Amino acid sequence: MMSDPNRMQDPTTQYPKAGPEYKQEQAPPGLETKMDPKPDDGSGSYKGSGRLAGRKAVVTGADSGIGRAVAIAYAREGADVVLTYLPEEEADAKEVVQQIEQAGRKAVAIPGDLKDEAFCESLIESAVKELGGIDILANVAGMQQYVEDIADLTTEQFDATFKTNVYALFWLCKAAIRHMPAGGAIINTSSIQAYSPSEILLDYATTKSAINTFSKALAQQVAPKGIRVNVVAPGPVWTPLQISGGQPQQVLPEFGAKTPLGRPGQPAEMAAAYVFLASQEASYVVGETLNANGGMPTP
Ligand code: NAD
Ligand code: MG
């Protein structure tokens, strides 16, 4: 799947609607290399223009889905990238490392579990050592497992979803801000689920509204230091998250059909939002949420 983002075209048909072939299941966290159809990560189309020249970036969840498209776009815009992901996602991460190196930038792969505070701290310390500092932190990693009945939602899952989506964000921001210069940027990842929660995503949807609120508070706190904090809130995007327990299999053929554009988004369509918010072009944009969701109304 690929599309030329530099050519004007109808966004309703820029990428295909979902269909029966979208029904496919993997164990979490899932591998993009095993998906068919394969999401568009922008590797065939994204053109950089030096908007992040010389920046030092950390991207979490950079092996697949949205994080992968962000890592590729950041490298093509001139940034060196530390990418992090779970150890079992090495096959996906290898392809991203290759893409970053092909863009002529440095790629440092540091797998680990973000639910662990010590790992989050060591990740930022390693990034500072390997890249010589940290200018951009894009928090894209996340966990989503649907559960139909609250009676079946375990404390273990509730805890893991909050650790991955909220605590890790806190630990990573805390560690990174110590090292960030004025001009630095943090971009967090929320979701349409923060405003229109699905009944089967109690824990996940709640973490996403926490991320919005955390980001708005932190944005005000660090703005005087010249550090900008913003959020991207995607709608339904075709990624491993959705096919590895993020959605029930029976809804996947209709994935994204209810958006005004009538189709799922692709990771490549999210990357430019993360580039904009990281770049100096967004110098007066602070505490904002950029919704990229195919047209669903948000507050
Ligand atoms: P994805 O599965 O490709 O990416 C999620 C990544 O999170 C994984 O690749 C994995 O590396 C990382 N991760 C999960 N648990 C981790 C842990 N304990 N330690 C370290 N890394 C961990 O799926 P995606 O859809 O691209 O997800 C990226 C972000 O986008 C998530 O925050 C997700 O909530 C958000 N989002 C996705 C959609 C969508 O429809 N796909 C919609 C709204 C928001
Ligand atoms: Mg992955």
Side-chain angles (χ1 to χ4, degrees):
M1 221 183 301
M2 199 189 115
S3 166
D4 178 2
N6 298 113
R7 184 172 65 79
M8 190 176 109
Q9 58 189 297
D10 181 349
T12 66
T13 52
Q14 185 168 350
Y15 288 99
K17 291 182 191 305
E21 71 279 15
Y22 277 60
K23 209 169 155 182
Q24 51 190 275
E25 192 159 25
Q26 291 186 40
L31 284 179
E32 185 155 325
T33 35
K34 287 191 184 158
M35 285 176 78
D36 181 19
K38 227 169 122 40
D40 184 1
D41 63 9
S43 56
S45 61
Y46 192 91
K47 287 195 186 82
S49 54
R51 290 153 87 198
L52 302 177
R55 305 293 211 286
K56 305 159 176 51
V58 173
V59 181
T60 72
D63 58 299
S64 61
I66 298 166
R68 175 189 184 109
V70 171
I72 292 170
Y74 278 8
R76 292 189 185 180
E77 294 290 354
D80 291 332
V81 182
V82 162
L83 48 153
T84 185
Y85 50 88
L86 288 163
E88 56 266 42
E89 298 175 302
E90 199 58 52
D92 276 355
K94 275 210 172 82
E95 296 185 341
V96 184
V97 166
Q98 219 168 40
Q99 286 291 334
I100 294 168
E101 288 173 347
Q102 273 171 23
R105 306 311 311 181
K106 184 170 178 177
V108 184
I110 307 180
D113 186 350
L114 294 171
K115 296 198 293 298
D116 176 4
E117 180 174 6
F119 173 71
C120 290
E121 284 174 356
S122 78
L123 170 69
I124 299 297
E125 293 311 316
S126 309
V128 168
K129 214 176 285 161
E130 297 277 344
L131 302 183
I134 174 169
D135 304 316
I136 301 167
L137 171 61
N139 287 304
V140 189
M143 163 180 166
Q144 173 183 331
Q145 290 289 305
Y146 81 89
V147 176
E148 278 164 1
D149 190 329
I150 190 171
D152 301 321
L153 177 56
T154 62
T155 299
E156 287 70 27
Q157 173 170 330
F158 196 84
D159 204 41
T161 307
F162 270 77
K163 282 268 157 57
T164 308
N165 298 5
V166 182
Y167 280 69
L169 194 75
F170 162 54
W171 294 326
L172 292 168
C173 288
K174 187 174 179 176
I177 284 165
R178 277 201 289 269
H179 298 284
M180 270 191 177
I186 294 175
I187 301 97
N188 295 328
T189 306
S190 179
S191 167
I192 182 67
Q193 288 291 326
Y195 323 108
S196 295
S198 301
E199 62 197 89
I200 59 171
L201 295 174
L202 264 186
D203 52 341
Y204 175 82
T206 306
T207 65
K208 291 296 169 178
S209 70
I211 290 168
N212 276 350
T213 302
F214 174 89
S215 302
K216 287 193 156 103
L218 183 63
Q220 298 173 79
Q221 186 184 122
V222 300
K225 297 185 209 283
I227 298 171
R228 294 178 303 103
V229 180
N230 288 290
V231 178
V232 176
V237 180
W238 183 235
T239 70
L241 185 91
Q242 300 294 359
I243 57 134
S244 53
Q247 300 288 343
Q249 283 293 309
Q250 70 272 17
V251 311
L252 290 173
E254 294 287 304
F255 190 58
K258 289 196 189 103
T259 64
L261 288 183
R263 64 166 177 87
Q266 293 294 325
E269 297 179 282
M270 304 294 122
Y274 289 82
V275 169
F276 170 64
L277 293 172
S279 80
Q280 206 58 36
E281 290 168 305
S283 52
Y284 209 59
V285 181
V286 176
E288 177 60 307
T289 303
L290 205 166
N291 293 283
N293 68 23
M296 289 177 282
T298 57

